[in-house]
């Protein structure tokens, strides 16, 4: 009997879920971001070409000058790094969409403290998992 009384105050503190209208808004934001990232990744794949080579319309895989070779290599590496970063961001967006679909009552709640993530933060970064305070603590821990 004492156990059930101890559990009820804990349930009373449970934060209420985000309103359905806001969930729909964030679903739309996440899907828009996902579409943008996929478009960017398509652009990077065009830059790299199907074989990972620069597709500038040049049929030769070799440049005529060493400086051109260096520039081509740098551009391919830069395109790869951008594509890699966008790929990681796409993964985070997909994770946020999964959270939104599987457990909408927990979407917008900090994964560390359980408090609501500020609307402004979610609007700027719809895949955010932590509130500002917890994210700041995480960043400070990485620095120190």
């Amino acid at each position: 009997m004492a156990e059930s009384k101890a559990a009820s105050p804990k349930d009373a503190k449970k934060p209420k879920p985000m309103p359905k209208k806001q969930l729909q808004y964030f679903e739309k934001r996440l899907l828009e971001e996902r579409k943008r990232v996929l478009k960017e990744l398509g652009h990077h794949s065009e830059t790299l070409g199907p074989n990972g080579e620069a597709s500038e319309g040049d049929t030769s895989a070799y440049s005529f000058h060493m400086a051109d070779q260096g520039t081509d290599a740098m551009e391919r590496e830069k395109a790869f790094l951008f594509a890699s970063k966008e790929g990681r961001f796409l993964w985070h967006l997909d994770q946020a969409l999964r959270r939104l679909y599987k457990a909408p009552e927990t979407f917008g709640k900090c994964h560390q403290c359980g408090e609501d993530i500020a609307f402004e933060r979610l609007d700027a970064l719809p895949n955010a998992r932590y509130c500002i305070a917890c994210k700041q603590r995480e960043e400070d821990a990485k620095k120190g």
Side-chain angles (χ1 to χ4, degrees), residues 9 25-26 29 35 40 93-94 98 124 144:
Y25 171 79
F26 287 119
R29 285 274 293 119
K35 185 178 179 181
E40 281 294 316
L93 290 172
D94 286 343
R98 279 188 194 96

Side-chain angles (χ1 to χ4, degrees), residues 39-110:
K39 185 177 177 183
E40 281 294 316
L41 284 171
H43 170 72
H44 293 306
S45 71
E46 287 173 11
T47 303
L48 290 173
N51 299 333
E53 298 172 358
S55 58
E56 300 287 326
D58 187 10
T59 56
S60 170
Y62 300 102
S63 298
F64 292 112
H65 194 274
M66 283 178 27
D68 291 337
Q69 289 176 346
T71 301
D72 291 346
M74 184 187 74
E75 289 299 319
R76 282 192 303 270
E77 186 173 342
K78 202 166 63 170
F80 173 76
L81 289 173
F82 285 134
S84 180
K85 183 179 177 183
E86 291 292 331
R88 282 191 302 276
F89 186 53
L90 179 64
W91 183 84
H92 286 291
L93 290 172
D94 286 343
Q95 291 299 314
L97 282 166
R98 279 188 194 96
R99 289 192 304 272
L100 186 125
Y101 294 142
K102 285 187 176 182
E105 65 278 358
T106 62
F107 184 81
K109 308 289 184 225
C110 179

Side-chain angles (χ1 to χ4, degrees), residues 119-144:
F119 179 86
E120 294 79 14
R121 176 165 170 72
L122 280 173
D123 195 30
L125 190 67
N127 60 309
R129 296 183 310 136
Y130 300 110
C131 66
I132 291 286
C134 291
K135 185 63 176 178
Q136 189 63 50
R137 280 193 294 274
E138 180 187 305
E139 293 294 320
D140 291 344
K142 284 181 183 177
K143 289 179 187 176

Side-chain angles (χ1 to χ4, degrees), residues 12-26:
K13 288 184 181 180
K14 195 174 189 179
K16 61 181 182 179
M18 188 181 289
K20 191 170 186 165
K21 201 167 196 168
Q22 280 187 351
L23 285 173
Q24 291 170 342
Y25 171 79
F26 287 119

